[in-house]
Amino acid sequence: MSVISVGQAVVLGAVEGVTEFLPVSSTGHLKIVEGLMGIPVDDHAVVGFSAVIQVGAIAAVLVYFFKDIVRILSAWVRGLRDREERYHHDYKFAWWVIYATIPIVAVGLAAKPLIQGPLASLWVVAGSLIAGSGVMWAADQLGRHKRGEDDTSFKDAMLVGSSQILALLFPGFSRSGATMSTALILDLDRVAATRLSFFLGIPALTGAGLYELKDALGTGVGAAPLAAGTLVSFVVAYASIAWLLKFVAKHSFNAFVIYRIVVGVLLFGLLGAGVIHS
């Protein structure tokens, strides 16, 4: 019998879709909702389910940025055959995304017992939500927002890509929040920071989902809940991406900072009162 029902999977898929690319921590929100529904947040099958439904959100990125992705991949393939094409920014950017994914893959494999064990605690999520809010606020205030997407460099990609490790080790910190904050500190504007976060998330999140698929299916989550959660995640994430890009073009990240602090404090209160368990 599946540890997650189809109805619960639909709810979790919607949560994943809304929060995956907003800088509020999808992992943190999933664990909070799982806790409220009485689902064990540190169960290996549940952790695997959370990783798998991320593929739905990543599929939304692939569809939304299809033209950009085709352009970048085409430049990469041309560059493999033609030396002259290797000076093109898109060719370089494709390699940067590959290189920038290596640190999070290495840490993810090495620290898997911790990630699926002690670090899966809701106490960690609550603390990370609040700590990440401080980082995001400081980055938004200190960043000069003067560099666009075409100004990104290998250094930018590596630093932003490596920052994903914070969210991997501290669920609640937010992968999007970590990458966007790092990009802002590097003086990228908010739209460029957001788009870079999207592109860097594609290989990392897709790889995590495929890696966890076998464990999720083999340890207590049925195919139907996985399919339902992934589909809902895709639909909701697509709408979330479109909204976020419009929002960051005209607004700061302060609304997300305030929201994260409120959720973090509320979660501490619920844990302390015993309403939900870590």
Side-chain angles (χ1 to χ4, degrees):
M1 186 175 180
S2 176
V3 297
I4 297 176
S5 69
V6 172
Q8 290 172 329
V10 168
V11 173
L12 293 173
V15 172
E16 164 65 24
V18 170
T19 60
E20 180 58 58
F21 301 111
L22 301 186
V24 296
S25 176
S26 62
T27 302
H29 279 73
L30 284 172
K31 290 186 181 299
I32 291 171
V33 175
E34 288 164 359
L36 290 172
M37 292 193 295
I39 299 172
V41 298
D42 58 349
D43 186 292
H44 287 184
V46 176
V47 174
F49 171 85
S50 299
V52 171
I53 63 172
Q54 287 178 340
V55 176
I58 288 300
V61 173
L62 295 176
V63 173
Y64 192 90
F65 293 107
F66 181 74
K67 291 182 179 179
D68 294 298
I69 293 170
V70 169
R71 188 191 74 243
I72 292 169
L73 287 177
S74 297
W76 183 67
V77 172
R78 290 196 304 271
L80 293 176
R81 298 187 308 234
D82 185 347
R83 184 180 297 273
E84 292 298 322
E85 293 289 338
R86 296 174 189 175
Y87 296 99
H88 197 289
H89 183 269
D90 285 340
Y91 171 80
K92 296 177 183 178
F93 185 76
W95 277 115
W96 297 345
V97 171
I98 294 172
Y99 294 144
T101 304
I102 294 174
I104 190 173
V105 171
V107 173
L109 292 174
K112 185 177 180 180
L114 285 174
I115 295 168
Q116 294 188 339
L119 294 178
S121 168
L122 286 176
W123 289 103
V124 175
V125 171
S128 298
L129 277 166
I130 295 173
S133 299
V135 173
M136 188 182 302
W137 179 83
D140 205 15
Q141 299 300 312
L142 297 175
R144 291 178 287 178
H145 315 292
K146 67 177 184 177
R147 301 170 58 209
E149 187 174 351
D150 291 337
D151 299 319
T152 54
S153 65
F154 174 69
K155 175 184 175 182
D156 296 329
M158 289 302 297
L159 289 174
V160 174
S162 297
S163 70
Q164 296 177 106
I165 294 172
L166 287 171
L168 184 67
L169 296 178
F170 305 105
F173 201 96
S174 169
R175 189 202 65 81
S176 295
T179 52
M180 290 178 190
S181 296
T182 303
L184 290 174
I185 291 172
L186 294 170
D187 293 330
L188 270 69
D189 62 47
R190 294 187 184 96
V191 173
T194 303
R195 285 174 60 88
L196 182 59
S197 175
F198 285 143
F199 288 124
L200 288 173
I202 292 173
L205 295 178
T206 301
L210 295 176
Y211 180 78
E212 295 287 355
L213 180 58
K214 177 176 64 67
D215 289 341
L217 285 172
T219 56
V221 178
L226 277 173
T230 303
L231 177 61
V232 172
S233 172
F234 168 80
V235 174
V236 177
Y238 189 92
S240 179
I241 292 167
W243 176 84
L244 180 61
L245 287 171
K246 292 179 181 178
F247 180 86
V248 298
K250 298 179 180 180
H251 302 85
S252 71
F253 288 120
N254 287 343
F256 297 118
V257 171
I258 295 172
Y259 172 80
R260 289 169 57 103
I261 292 174
V262 171
V263 173
V265 171
L266 179 61
L267 181 55
F268 270 130
L270 292 173
L271 287 167
V275 176
I276 57 176
H277 302 286
S278 64

